[in-house]
Amino acid sequence: MARTIKWFFISLLLLLLAGIGYFTYSFVQFANNIQSRPETTKFGGLTPKQLSMSDSYTPPKWEGNSRVNILILGGDSRGLKKNEVPRSDSIMVASIDPVTKKAYLFSILRDTYVKIPGHGEDRINTALAIGGPNLAMRTVSDLLGIPIQYFFYTDFKGFIALTDAIGGIDLEVEKDMKYRDSEDGHEYDIDLKKGMQHLDGKMALQYVRFRHDAMSDFSRTERQRKFLQAVAQKMQTTGSLIRLPNILNSIDPYLETNLTTADMLKLGTLAFEAKTGGMVSQQIPPSELLIEKRVGGAEVLSVNRTKLQHYIKALFEGRDPLAPAGKPAEGGNKSTTGTAPVKK
Protein backbone atom coordinates (compact mmCIF):
# COMPACT_ATOMS: atom_id res chain seq x y z
CA MET A 1 0.00 0.00 0.00
CA ALA A 2 2.77 2.45 0.98
CA ARG A 3 4.65 1.62 -2.23
CA THR A 4 1.48 2.29 -4.30
CA ILE A 5 1.00 5.68 -2.69
CA LYS A 6 4.69 6.51 -3.22
CA TRP A 7 4.51 5.69 -6.95
CA PHE A 8 1.25 7.63 -7.25
CA PHE A 9 2.90 10.80 -5.93
CA ILE A 10 6.00 10.24 -8.04
CA SER A 11 3.82 9.86 -11.15
CA LEU A 12 1.84 12.97 -10.18
CA LEU A 13 5.06 14.94 -9.74
CA LEU A 14 6.39 13.78 -13.11
CA LEU A 15 3.13 14.79 -14.81
CA LEU A 16 3.28 18.18 -13.10
CA LEU A 17 6.87 18.74 -14.21
CA ALA A 18 6.01 17.64 -17.75
CA GLY A 19 3.08 20.08 -17.79
CA ILE A 20 5.24 22.94 -16.56
CA GLY A 21 7.87 22.07 -19.14
CA TYR A 22 5.27 22.03 -21.92
CA PHE A 23 3.83 25.40 -20.88
CA THR A 24 7.32 26.90 -20.59
CA TYR A 25 8.41 25.57 -23.97
CA SER A 26 5.20 26.83 -25.61
CA PHE A 27 5.62 30.28 -24.10
CA VAL A 28 9.30 30.63 -25.02
CA GLN A 29 8.63 29.43 -28.57
CA PHE A 30 5.73 31.91 -28.89
CA ALA A 31 7.87 34.76 -27.51
CA ASN A 32 10.67 34.03 -29.95
CA ASN A 33 8.30 33.81 -32.91
CA ILE A 34 6.58 37.18 -32.42
CA GLN A 35 9.61 39.31 -31.56
CA SER A 36 10.31 41.92 -34.22
CA ARG A 37 13.42 41.13 -36.29
CA PRO A 38 14.64 42.59 -39.60
CA GLU A 39 14.32 39.22 -41.36
CA THR A 40 10.76 38.52 -40.18
CA THR A 41 9.18 41.93 -39.64
CA LYS A 42 5.86 42.78 -41.24
CA PHE A 43 7.27 46.25 -41.95
CA GLY A 44 10.07 45.25 -44.31
CA GLY A 45 8.83 47.67 -46.97
CA LEU A 46 10.05 50.74 -45.10
CA THR A 47 12.81 52.66 -46.87
CA PRO A 48 16.18 53.34 -45.17
CA LYS A 49 15.13 56.98 -44.75
CA GLN A 50 11.87 55.97 -43.05
CA LEU A 51 13.70 53.52 -40.80
CA SER A 52 16.28 56.13 -39.80
CA MET A 53 13.50 58.49 -38.72
CA SER A 54 11.55 55.86 -36.83
CA ASP A 55 14.64 54.36 -35.20
CA SER A 56 15.40 57.71 -33.60
CA TYR A 57 12.85 56.77 -30.94
CA THR A 58 14.21 54.40 -28.33
CA PRO A 59 11.40 52.96 -26.21
CA PRO A 60 12.15 53.53 -22.51
CA LYS A 61 13.06 50.43 -20.55
CA TRP A 62 10.42 49.09 -18.19
CA GLU A 63 11.86 47.84 -14.91
CA GLY A 64 8.60 46.33 -13.66
CA ASN A 65 7.98 48.75 -10.77
CA SER A 66 6.52 51.71 -12.70
CA ARG A 67 3.52 52.18 -15.00
CA VAL A 68 3.75 50.24 -18.25
CA ASN A 69 2.08 51.48 -21.44
CA ILE A 70 1.55 49.20 -24.45
CA LEU A 71 0.50 50.41 -27.89
CA ILE A 72 -1.89 47.96 -29.57
CA LEU A 73 -2.05 48.38 -33.34
CA GLY A 74 -4.58 46.70 -35.58
CA GLY A 75 -3.69 46.90 -39.27
CA ASP A 76 -5.80 46.46 -42.38
CA SER A 77 -3.47 44.58 -44.72
CA ARG A 78 -6.09 43.86 -47.40
CA GLY A 79 -5.09 44.67 -50.95
CA LEU A 80 -1.54 45.67 -50.08
CA LYS A 81 1.30 45.07 -52.51
CA LYS A 82 4.38 43.11 -51.47
CA ASN A 83 6.29 44.92 -48.67
CA GLU A 84 3.66 47.67 -48.56
CA VAL A 85 3.08 48.85 -44.98
CA PRO A 86 -0.54 49.19 -43.78
CA ARG A 87 -2.12 52.08 -41.95
CA SER A 88 -3.40 51.27 -38.50
CA ASP A 89 -7.11 50.48 -38.60
CA SER A 90 -7.28 50.69 -34.81
CA ILE A 91 -4.98 52.31 -32.25
CA MET A 92 -5.24 51.49 -28.56
CA VAL A 93 -3.09 51.94 -25.47
CA ALA A 94 -3.24 49.58 -22.48
CA SER A 95 -1.76 51.05 -19.31
CA ILE A 96 -1.26 49.18 -16.03
CA ASP A 97 0.01 50.44 -12.68
CA PRO A 98 2.00 47.54 -11.13
CA VAL A 99 1.44 48.90 -7.61
CA THR A 100 -2.35 49.36 -7.60
CA LYS A 101 -2.94 46.79 -10.42
CA LYS A 102 -5.31 49.38 -11.93
CA ALA A 103 -5.74 48.96 -15.69
CA TYR A 104 -6.63 51.62 -18.26
CA LEU A 105 -7.64 51.13 -21.87
CA PHE A 106 -7.53 54.05 -24.31
CA SER A 107 -8.70 53.94 -27.92
CA ILE A 108 -7.38 56.73 -30.14
CA LEU A 109 -9.59 58.03 -32.92
CA ARG A 110 -7.68 57.19 -36.07
CA ASP A 111 -8.51 60.50 -37.81
CA THR A 112 -7.01 62.60 -35.02
CA TYR A 113 -4.75 65.19 -36.65
CA VAL A 114 -1.39 65.27 -34.87
CA LYS A 115 2.28 66.09 -35.28
CA ILE A 116 4.18 63.09 -36.62
CA PRO A 117 7.89 63.57 -35.81
CA GLY A 118 9.89 64.22 -38.96
CA HIS A 119 6.79 64.22 -41.18
CA GLY A 120 4.75 67.30 -40.26
CA GLU A 121 1.07 66.98 -39.39
CA ASP A 122 -1.24 64.21 -40.54
CA ARG A 123 -3.86 61.76 -39.29
CA ILE A 124 -2.43 59.62 -36.53
CA ASN A 125 -3.18 56.35 -38.34
CA THR A 126 -0.60 57.25 -41.02
CA ALA A 127 2.32 57.09 -38.54
CA LEU A 128 2.53 53.31 -38.79
CA ALA A 129 2.57 53.35 -42.61
CA ILE A 130 5.25 56.03 -42.97
CA GLY A 131 7.60 54.95 -40.17
CA GLY A 132 6.57 51.61 -38.71
CA PRO A 133 5.83 50.77 -35.07
CA ASN A 134 8.61 52.92 -33.61
CA LEU A 135 7.26 56.07 -35.24
CA ALA A 136 3.72 55.13 -34.16
CA MET A 137 4.97 54.68 -30.57
CA ARG A 138 6.76 58.03 -30.60
CA THR A 139 3.73 59.83 -32.10
CA VAL A 140 1.35 58.40 -29.49
CA SER A 141 3.85 59.09 -26.69
CA ASP A 142 4.16 62.74 -27.76
CA LEU A 143 0.37 63.09 -27.97
CA LEU A 144 -0.47 61.56 -24.57
CA GLY A 145 2.60 62.72 -22.68
CA ILE A 146 3.40 59.22 -21.40
CA PRO A 147 6.23 56.81 -22.25
CA ILE A 148 5.22 53.99 -24.59
CA GLN A 149 7.49 51.05 -23.82
CA TYR A 150 6.00 48.34 -26.03
CA PHE A 151 3.83 47.65 -29.03
CA PHE A 152 1.75 44.75 -30.31
CA TYR A 153 0.71 44.61 -33.94
CA THR A 154 -1.77 42.27 -35.63
CA ASP A 155 -4.18 42.30 -38.57
CA PHE A 156 -7.68 40.99 -39.29
CA LYS A 157 -6.51 37.37 -39.46
CA GLY A 158 -4.72 37.65 -36.11
CA PHE A 159 -7.83 39.11 -34.48
CA ILE A 160 -9.98 36.27 -35.82
CA ALA A 161 -7.42 33.65 -34.70
CA LEU A 162 -7.24 35.03 -31.15
CA THR A 163 -11.01 35.17 -30.72
CA ASP A 164 -11.46 31.62 -32.02
CA ALA A 165 -8.55 30.32 -29.92
CA ILE A 166 -10.18 31.48 -26.66
CA GLY A 167 -13.51 29.96 -27.65
CA GLY A 168 -15.26 33.15 -28.72
CA ILE A 169 -16.86 35.87 -26.59
CA ASP A 170 -20.42 36.26 -25.28
CA LEU A 171 -21.38 39.89 -25.79
CA GLU A 172 -24.45 42.10 -26.02
CA VAL A 173 -24.72 43.51 -29.56
CA GLU A 174 -26.42 46.83 -29.05
CA LYS A 175 -28.05 47.17 -32.51
CA ASP A 176 -28.50 45.43 -35.83
CA MET A 177 -25.31 45.93 -37.86
CA LYS A 178 -25.25 45.44 -41.61
CA TYR A 179 -22.71 46.52 -44.23
CA ARG A 180 -21.59 45.00 -47.53
CA ASP A 181 -17.87 45.20 -48.37
CA SER A 182 -16.96 44.15 -51.90
CA GLU A 183 -13.21 44.81 -51.56
CA ASP A 184 -12.49 41.15 -50.74
CA GLY A 185 -15.37 39.43 -52.47
CA HIS A 186 -17.63 40.15 -49.48
CA GLU A 187 -15.43 38.10 -47.16
CA TYR A 188 -15.67 40.84 -44.54
CA ASP A 189 -19.35 41.77 -44.91
CA ILE A 190 -21.04 42.76 -41.65
CA ASP A 191 -24.36 41.20 -40.66
CA LEU A 192 -25.07 41.03 -36.91
CA LYS A 193 -28.37 41.01 -35.04
CA LYS A 194 -29.17 42.98 -31.91
CA GLY A 195 -29.04 41.06 -28.62
CA MET A 196 -26.81 38.71 -26.67
CA GLN A 197 -24.57 36.85 -29.10
CA HIS A 198 -21.77 34.31 -28.96
CA LEU A 199 -19.20 35.91 -31.27
CA ASP A 200 -16.66 33.73 -33.01
CA GLY A 201 -13.65 35.30 -34.71
CA LYS A 202 -15.37 36.48 -37.89
CA MET A 203 -18.43 37.77 -36.05
CA ALA A 204 -16.23 39.58 -33.53
CA LEU A 205 -14.33 41.29 -36.36
CA GLN A 206 -17.65 42.48 -37.76
CA TYR A 207 -18.59 43.88 -34.35
CA VAL A 208 -15.39 45.87 -33.79
CA ARG A 209 -15.21 47.17 -37.39
CA PHE A 210 -18.78 48.44 -37.80
CA ARG A 211 -18.91 52.25 -38.02
CA HIS A 212 -21.71 52.89 -40.49
CA ASP A 213 -24.02 54.79 -38.18
CA ALA A 214 -24.44 58.36 -36.92
CA MET A 215 -21.55 58.16 -34.44
CA SER A 216 -19.14 56.45 -36.87
CA ASP A 217 -15.65 56.00 -35.35
CA PHE A 218 -16.82 57.25 -31.93
CA SER A 219 -19.11 54.26 -31.39
CA ARG A 220 -16.67 51.93 -33.16
CA THR A 221 -13.82 52.68 -30.74
CA GLU A 222 -16.21 52.25 -27.81
CA ARG A 223 -17.12 48.77 -29.10
CA GLN A 224 -13.44 47.93 -29.53
CA ARG A 225 -12.73 48.79 -25.89
CA LYS A 226 -15.80 46.84 -24.76
CA PHE A 227 -14.69 43.77 -26.69
CA LEU A 228 -11.05 43.94 -25.58
CA GLN A 229 -12.16 44.18 -21.94
CA ALA A 230 -14.22 41.01 -22.44
CA VAL A 231 -11.19 39.27 -23.97
CA ALA A 232 -8.97 40.33 -21.05
CA GLN A 233 -11.48 38.97 -18.54
CA LYS A 234 -11.80 35.66 -20.38
CA MET A 235 -8.02 35.28 -20.63
CA GLN A 236 -7.89 35.34 -16.81
CA THR A 237 -10.20 32.31 -16.50
CA THR A 238 -8.92 28.85 -15.62
CA GLY A 239 -10.11 27.42 -18.93
CA SER A 240 -8.08 29.92 -20.95
CA LEU A 241 -4.99 29.29 -18.84
CA ILE A 242 -5.27 25.54 -19.47
CA ARG A 243 -5.58 26.17 -23.21
CA LEU A 244 -2.79 28.77 -23.22
CA PRO A 245 -0.27 26.73 -25.29
CA ASN A 246 -2.86 26.18 -28.02
CA ILE A 247 -3.92 29.83 -27.89
CA LEU A 248 -0.33 31.04 -28.29
CA ASN A 249 0.30 28.61 -31.13
CA SER A 250 -2.80 29.83 -32.98
CA ILE A 251 -1.95 33.53 -32.90
CA ASP A 252 1.84 33.73 -33.18
CA PRO A 253 1.91 33.86 -37.04
CA TYR A 254 -0.07 37.11 -36.92
CA LEU A 255 1.62 39.05 -34.10
CA GLU A 256 4.68 41.26 -33.92
CA THR A 257 6.09 43.01 -30.85
CA ASN A 258 9.24 44.56 -29.40
CA LEU A 259 8.79 42.70 -26.10
CA THR A 260 11.64 40.43 -25.08
CA THR A 261 10.90 37.02 -23.58
CA ALA A 262 11.79 38.30 -20.10
CA ASP A 263 9.52 41.34 -20.59
CA MET A 264 6.65 39.08 -21.67
CA LEU A 265 6.98 37.02 -18.50
CA LYS A 266 6.85 40.15 -16.33
CA LEU A 267 4.04 41.70 -18.30
CA GLY A 268 2.07 38.45 -18.47
CA THR A 269 2.18 38.13 -14.69
CA LEU A 270 1.06 41.74 -14.26
CA ALA A 271 -1.72 41.40 -16.84
CA PHE A 272 -3.08 38.33 -15.04
CA GLU A 273 -3.12 40.26 -11.75
CA ALA A 274 -4.63 43.43 -13.25
CA LYS A 275 -8.14 44.38 -12.16
CA THR A 276 -9.93 44.00 -15.48
CA GLY A 277 -13.31 44.30 -13.77
CA GLY A 278 -12.50 47.88 -12.76
CA MET A 279 -10.71 48.84 -15.96
CA VAL A 280 -11.01 52.51 -16.93
CA SER A 281 -12.10 52.74 -20.56
CA GLN A 282 -11.68 56.01 -22.45
CA GLN A 283 -11.84 57.44 -25.94
CA ILE A 284 -8.86 59.62 -26.89
CA PRO A 285 -9.20 62.47 -27.48
CA PRO A 286 -12.28 62.67 -25.22
CA SER A 287 -15.24 64.34 -26.90
CA GLU A 288 -15.10 67.23 -24.44
CA LEU A 289 -11.67 68.18 -25.82
CA LEU A 290 -12.20 67.45 -29.50
CA ILE A 291 -11.94 70.30 -32.00
CA GLU A 292 -13.17 69.99 -35.57
CA LYS A 293 -11.16 71.69 -38.29
CA ARG A 294 -10.61 71.49 -42.04
CA VAL A 295 -7.28 70.64 -43.63
CA GLY A 296 -6.97 70.65 -47.41
CA GLY A 297 -10.75 70.67 -47.75
CA ALA A 298 -11.20 67.62 -45.52
CA GLU A 299 -12.62 67.54 -41.99
CA VAL A 300 -10.22 66.25 -39.32
CA LEU A 301 -10.29 65.96 -35.55
CA SER A 302 -7.84 67.94 -33.46
CA VAL A 303 -7.09 68.47 -29.78
CA ASN A 304 -5.06 70.77 -27.57
CA ARG A 305 -2.17 68.49 -26.63
CA THR A 306 -1.46 70.22 -23.30
CA LYS A 307 -5.09 69.88 -22.18
CA LEU A 308 -5.14 66.25 -23.29
CA GLN A 309 -2.01 65.44 -21.30
CA HIS A 310 -3.48 67.09 -18.19
CA TYR A 311 -6.60 64.96 -18.78
CA ILE A 312 -4.58 61.73 -18.92
CA LYS A 313 -2.60 62.70 -15.80
CA ALA A 314 -5.82 63.37 -13.87
CA LEU A 315 -7.22 59.97 -14.84
CA PHE A 316 -4.10 58.21 -13.58
CA GLU A 317 -4.27 60.17 -10.30
CA GLY A 318 -7.93 59.27 -9.72
CA ARG A 319 -9.18 62.84 -10.23
CA ASP A 320 -12.07 64.00 -12.36
CA PRO A 321 -10.20 65.01 -15.53
CA LEU A 322 -12.76 67.69 -16.40
CA ALA A 323 -13.03 69.17 -12.90
CA PRO A 324 -10.88 71.98 -11.46
CA ALA A 325 -7.44 70.79 -10.31
CA GLY A 326 -7.48 69.00 -6.99
CA LYS A 327 -11.08 67.76 -7.12
CA PRO A 328 -11.22 63.95 -6.68
CA ALA A 329 -13.09 61.79 -9.15
CA GLU A 330 -16.56 60.54 -8.19
CA GLY A 331 -16.31 56.76 -7.88
CA GLY A 332 -13.31 54.59 -8.54
CA ASN A 333 -14.25 52.75 -11.72
CA LYS A 334 -14.96 55.50 -14.20
CA SER A 335 -15.69 54.48 -17.78
CA THR A 336 -16.41 57.28 -20.25
CA THR A 337 -17.88 56.60 -23.64
CA GLY A 338 -17.03 59.85 -25.39
CA THR A 339 -20.45 60.84 -26.74
CA ALA A 340 -20.48 64.51 -25.72
CA PRO A 341 -20.78 67.21 -28.42
CA VAL A 342 -17.68 68.01 -30.42
CA LYS A 343 -16.21 71.52 -30.12
CA LYS A 344 -15.88 73.58 -33.28
Side-chain angles (χ1 to χ4, degrees):
M1 181 66 177
R3 181 174 294 180
T4 301
I5 294 174
K6 176 183 177 181
W7 280 111
F8 171 78
F9 281 107
I10 290 175
S11 300
L12 189 62
L13 178 60
L14 289 174
L15 286 172
L16 179 61
L17 291 174
I20 292 173
Y22 174 60
F23 271 73
T24 302
Y25 171 78
S26 299
F27 179 83
V28 171
Q29 186 180 45
F30 168 78
N32 288 334
N33 287 345
I34 69 172
Q35 287 170 19
S36 184
R37 297 184 182 88
E39 67 273 15
T40 60
T41 181
K42 296 174 175 60
F43 305 96
L46 295 173
T47 66
K49 184 178 179 180
Q50 288 174 312
L51 287 172
S52 67
M53 288 184 175
S54 62
D55 285 345
S56 63
Y57 176 74
T58 303
K61 186 174 177 58
W62 181 55
E63 301 292 349
N65 53 8
S66 59
R67 178 178 297 281
V68 60
N69 304 300
I70 306 103
L71 179 63
I72 304 169
L73 298 164
D76 184 354
S77 56
R78 296 175 300 164
L80 294 181
K81 299 175 183 177
K82 185 178 180 180
N83 289 331
E84 190 174 2
V85 180
R87 293 191 178 197
S88 39
D89 190 62
S90 61
I91 309 168
M92 308 183 82
V93 175
S95 180
I96 308 176
D97 185 332
V99 177
T100 64
K101 304 299 189 293
K102 186 79 172 180
Y104 298 76
L105 184 62
F106 304 122
S107 52
I108 302 175
L109 297 172
R110 63 182 184 176
D111 287 334
T112 306
Y113 206 69
V114 299
K115 290 182 178 179
I116 299 178
H119 298 273
E121 291 187 312
D122 206 334
R123 289 176 173 84
I124 195 167
N125 70 330
T126 64
L128 180 68
I130 61 179
N134 265 20
L135 185 60
M137 293 170 70
R138 182 179 176 186
T139 302
V140 172
S141 178
D142 288 351
L143 176 67
L144 303 185
I146 60 176
I148 303 293
Q149 294 97 340
Y150 304 114
F151 80 88
F152 274 104
Y153 170 84
T154 192
D155 58 13
F156 287 1
K157 291 181 180 179
F159 180 87
I160 291 172
L162 171 61
T163 307
D164 286 338
I166 63 176
I169 293 290
D170 293 321
L171 207 67
E172 182 77 26
V173 177
E174 53 276 12
K175 63 173 75 175
D176 287 347
M177 299 178 185
K178 195 171 184 67
Y179 178 74
R180 290 176 60 81
D181 188 349
S182 60
E183 185 171 342
D184 290 281
H186 299 287
E187 181 181 356
Y188 295 105
D189 284 356
I190 298 173
D191 188 7
L192 295 176
K193 299 299 182 184
K194 178 181 178 180
M196 180 60 70
Q197 303 276 356
H198 179 76
L199 303 179
D200 63 15
K202 288 189 174 181
M203 295 173 69
L205 184 63
Q206 294 177 40
Y207 179 76
V208 301
R209 289 188 62 227
F210 182 77
R211 60 185 180 94
H212 304 279
D213 55 15
M215 294 303 294
S216 187
D217 209 33
F218 296 88
S219 56
R220 187 182 81 119
T221 55
E222 184 179 349
R223 282 191 288 271
Q224 289 174 352
R225 297 194 306 274
K226 176 182 173 182
F227 183 83
L228 201 56
Q229 285 178 272
V231 170
Q233 290 170 358
K234 187 162 186 178
M235 286 296 294
Q236 291 184 332
T237 63
T238 303
S240 292
L241 291 176
I242 292 173
R243 296 198 306 273
L244 188 59
N246 290 333
I247 293 172
L248 298 180
N249 185 58
S250 299
I251 63 177
D252 76 28
Y254 309 106
L255 292 182
E256 186 166 335
T257 184
N258 63 334
L259 278 155
T260 66
T261 303
D263 290 334
M264 284 188 216
L265 285 169
K266 288 191 298 184
L267 189 59
T269 301
L270 178 59
F272 181 74
E273 295 173 346
K275 302 171 182 176
T276 53
M279 182 183 289
V280 176
S281 168
Q282 175 64 59
Q283 168 196 295
I284 298 296
S287 293
E288 297 86 353
L289 299 183
L290 273 175
I291 304 168
E292 282 186 351
K293 67 178 185 180
R294 297 187 70 84
V295 176
E299 288 191 357
V300 298
L301 303 173
S302 184
V303 66
N304 181 299
R305 190 167 63 176
T306 300
K307 289 183 178 180
L308 176 61
Q309 292 178 5
H310 285 317
Y311 187 98
I312 298 293
K313 187 173 185 291
L315 279 179
F316 287 159
E317 294 176 352
R319 295 184 285 111
D320 185 340
L322 297 174
K327 182 177 179 180
E330 295 180 5
N333 298 330
K334 184 176 181 180
S335 176
T336 50
T337 58
T339 54
V342 176
K343 294 182 181 180
K344 296 186 178 181

